[in-house]
Amino acid sequence: MVRTFLEIWSDADRRAPILAMLRSAMTNERAAAMMREFVSSALFARAGAAADVPLVNVQSAAGQLIGVMLLRYVIRVEPIASVPEEELVTLIGPSIQRYLDHSAP
């Protein structure tokens, strides 16, 4: 999951529409409602059902990943902005896996 997020966010052409949606959602309630509906039904619910993981766990994993991506690609906070992708996978992967672990509380 971490590799997939990094792959998408590291490509400027793929990152641009995601950032546009996030910016709109942060400043416009209607855009936020539309994004909420999309991510809740199209992404989070499907991912949770496919992996048999509670929705709150999927949302928590996504929240952590989005935070890291914002620090890396938008705000460009060092050293997270320039650390090799594989190092981020190694660092963040266990936390994301914990969220998605079937036996986690």
Side-chain angles (χ1 to χ4, degrees):
M1 188 173 190
V2 176
R3 276 190 186 89
T4 300
F5 261 71
L6 285 166
E7 180 183 303
I8 292 167
W9 280 80
S10 65
D11 180 342
D13 291 335
R14 293 168 77 186
R15 182 174 61 239
I18 298 168
L19 287 175
M21 287 187 300
L22 284 172
R23 287 183 179 118
S24 293
M26 287 187 234
T27 60
N28 181 294
E29 180 51 38
R30 185 172 178 190
M34 290 171 53
M35 187 165 188
R36 210 173 14 254
E37 175 60 31
F38 171 71
V39 298
S40 293
S41 62
L43 299 179
F44 298 151
R46 288 183 185 178
D52 191 29
V53 174
L55 185 57
V56 69
N57 292 44
V58 174
Q59 291 171 340
S60 297
Q64 182 170 347
L65 286 169
I66 290 167
V68 169
M69 299 311 144
L70 289 173
L71 287 173
R72 183 174 175 88
Y73 296 108
V74 178
I75 304 169
R76 295 186 179 105
V77 174
E78 290 296 344
I80 204 165
S82 60
V83 71
E85 287 185 12
E86 196 56 37
E87 190 173 329
L88 279 180
V89 171
T90 301
L91 178 66
I92 300 165
S95 294
I96 300 305
Q97 188 60 48
R98 186 185 62 77
Y99 288 121
L100 303 178
D101 186 350
H102 295 272
S103 64

